[in-house]
Amino acid sequence: MPTEVALLESRALRGEQMGRVDVLDKVRSLVMLPDGIHVRTEDVARYFEVSTGAVKRLTDRHQEELTESGLRVLRGAELQSFHSDMMSLWAREGVESYPQAATQLRLCTRRTVLNVAMLLRDSDIARCVRTYLLDAEESLRIRYASLDQRVTRIESCLTGVGSALQELGPVLVRMSERLASLDRKVEMTHQVIGAMSLRLTDVRQDVVRLDGRLDCFARRLKDLRRRSGQRGQR
């Protein structure tokens, strides 16, 4: 886990923390300009409770790094255009005046302010921001270690499952063979039942024909009895 001293001394470590701008609001509210993107040098100084000169000296010493994190210096036409935009936004909020820089204006983003917090030594607010960053780093490390342990346990379980599946393989093969044999027997049974159905159809037809012959025989027998009775009366 990195220490506060390491964070102050290592630009690489600071670069790893640049996405944690949410930490700033956990310490105190950072008042932005009306565009919601930038703050001025005096706003940064007010946030960290240090002098404007201290912030300017820090930005001069680490200008390259802070420029990468969003620091801008406006001059000339670009400065005038920015002032015009701010005046319009401020007027919408009912503010009548806006302090304008005469020759140049340093603007910082939230990433720049976080970068300053990791560089500014003589500020209790900056120390508090660094503490939040380091605590978050430790919390992330603990969660990662816990996740790593859970993954290790899952891998162990999967190893056992793999062995069980290897043992289950031959059993599944035998079951598949028995099911295939059963399918063949069922198919043969269907064929036998089909043949029996055809045979029963033939038997039904034979029975119908036999019923017809018996009916004919009964009628002839009845006629014969009637004739025999008539002869007896004569």
Side-chain angles (χ1 to χ4, degrees):
M1 174 183 173
T3 63
E4 183 178 1
V5 173
L7 198 60
L8 287 165
E9 300 295 335
S10 172
R11 181 172 175 177
L13 287 178
R14 292 193 293 271
E16 293 175 0
Q17 303 294 332
M18 290 309 300
R20 298 300 313 281
V21 293
D22 57 299
V23 171
L24 296 172
D25 292 323
K26 292 181 179 180
V27 177
R28 66 183 305 184
S29 176
L30 176 63
V31 179
M32 312 295 293
L33 289 174
D35 63 356
I37 299 174
H38 299 100
V39 291
R40 298 163 300 180
T41 302
E42 50 266 39
D43 300 321
V44 178
R46 190 177 300 112
Y47 178 83
F48 289 111
E49 297 181 350
V50 296
S51 67
T52 302
V55 175
K56 287 182 177 180
R57 288 191 295 273
L58 181 70
T59 54
D60 287 339
R61 287 197 305 271
H62 302 277
Q63 184 171 1
E64 180 184 353
E65 178 180 346
L66 294 173
T67 298
E68 289 183 3
S69 64
L71 175 67
R72 297 172 59 196
V73 180
L74 304 184
R75 299 181 179 88
E78 189 178 18
L79 176 60
Q80 294 302 318
S81 176
F82 181 81
H83 282 324
S84 177
D85 292 340
M86 290 301 102
M87 286 290 293
S88 298
L89 293 172
W90 228 292
R92 294 176 189 175
E93 298 180 1
V95 179
E96 297 181 355
S97 62
Y98 161 69
Q100 301 182 28
T103 58
Q104 70 175 26
L105 177 64
R106 297 189 188 192
L107 294 176
C108 299
T109 64
R110 295 175 68 84
R111 286 170 61 90
T112 315
V113 177
L114 180 62
N115 205 157
V116 170
M118 291 184 283
L119 290 167
L120 193 59
R121 296 175 182 270
D122 300 325
S123 167
D124 291 337
I125 302 299
R127 292 191 192 95
C128 191
V129 171
R130 292 194 292 271
T131 298
Y132 266 102
L133 286 173
L134 296 172
D135 288 347
E137 183 78 11
E138 176 65 10
S139 176
L140 181 62
R141 187 190 65 79
I142 293 173
R143 288 199 299 270
Y144 176 81
S146 175
L147 179 61
D148 184 61
Q149 293 174 357
R150 291 169 63 186
V151 170
T152 301
R153 288 197 298 268
I154 291 173
E155 288 176 345
S156 300
C157 293
L158 289 177
T159 301
V161 170
S163 301
L165 289 176
Q166 290 178 352
E167 297 175 357
L168 188 60
V171 177
L172 293 175
V173 171
R174 290 195 297 271
M175 290 179 64
S176 178
E177 293 174 350
R178 292 179 63 183
L179 288 173
S181 176
L182 182 59
D183 285 340
R184 291 192 295 270
K185 291 179 181 179
V186 170
E187 181 62 26
M188 292 176 62
T189 301
H190 285 165
Q191 293 176 0
V192 171
I193 291 174
M196 290 176 63
S197 178
L198 293 174
R199 180 59 181 160
L200 288 173
T201 300
D202 294 339
V203 170
R204 178 176 175 276
Q205 293 174 353
D206 291 342
V207 169
V208 170
R209 287 194 295 270
L210 181 59
D211 284 343
R213 294 178 64 183
L214 288 174
D215 289 341
C216 182
F217 179 76
R219 287 193 298 272
R220 293 175 64 184
L221 182 60
K222 184 177 182 181
D223 291 341
L224 181 60
R225 286 178 178 173
R226 188 174 61 253
R227 290 173 186 174
S228 297
Q230 290 175 355
R231 289 174 183 168
Q233 291 177 358
R234 291 178 184 174

